[in-house]
């Protein structure tokens, strides 16, 4: 019986329309949802993400899930922003 990892920290790719943004993901799976934060999102791209109809997170293992930005305040680190997200479906990690 395989043990599902309940946390993931590492590379991921955030896809918003035609944009592909490499990020550092910190993700955590709960009993009925998974969520986390994405580091390294260029602050100049935040409005592109807000405007995008669909956000997808692509994992190194080939899994891909729809995610949505959480309304929590974004933590700005100069030209990069930490984006809080929640995911749909089963955790991709």
């Amino acid at each position: 019986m395989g043990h599902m990892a309940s946390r993931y920290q590492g590379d991921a790719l955030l896809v918003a329309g035609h944009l592909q943004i490499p990020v550092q993901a910190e993700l955590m799976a709960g009993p009925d949802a998974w969520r986390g934060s994405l580091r390294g999102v260029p602050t100049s791209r935040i409005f592109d993400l807000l405007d995008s109809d669909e956000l997808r997170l692509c994992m190194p293992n080939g899994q891909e899930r729809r995610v949505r930005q959480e309304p929590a305040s974004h933590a700005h680190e100069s030209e990069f922003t930490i984006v809080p997200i929640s995911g749909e479906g089963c955790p991709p990690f």
Side-chain angles (χ1 to χ4, degrees):
M1 206 168 127
H3 177 67
M4 288 290 291
S6 58
R7 287 174 180 271
Y8 172 81
Q9 194 164 0
D11 295 330
L13 191 66
L14 180 63
V15 178
H18 63 285
L19 281 179
Q20 297 195 348
I21 304 171
V23 292
Q24 282 292 310
E26 293 179 19
L27 306 173
M28 198 166 68
D32 46 20
W34 60 278
R35 60 185 61 248
S37 57
L38 306 178
R39 291 176 177 270
V41 178
T43 303
S44 59
R45 291 297 188 196
I46 287 298
F47 291 109
D48 294 327
L49 298 186
L50 292 171
D51 288 344
S52 180
D53 293 333
E54 181 174 299
L55 296 177
R56 301 189 80 81
L57 193 62
C58 304
M59 307 294 284
N61 63 8
Q63 302 249 13
E64 193 177 303
R65 296 285 186 278
R66 280 188 72 148
V67 296
R68 61 180 177 272
Q69 279 192 79
E70 287 297 310
S73 61
H74 295 89
H76 293 283
E77 294 179 336
S78 64
E79 74 260 41
F80 293 105
T81 296
I82 299 170
V83 177
I85 59 157
S86 61
E88 295 182 6
C90 56
F93 50 92

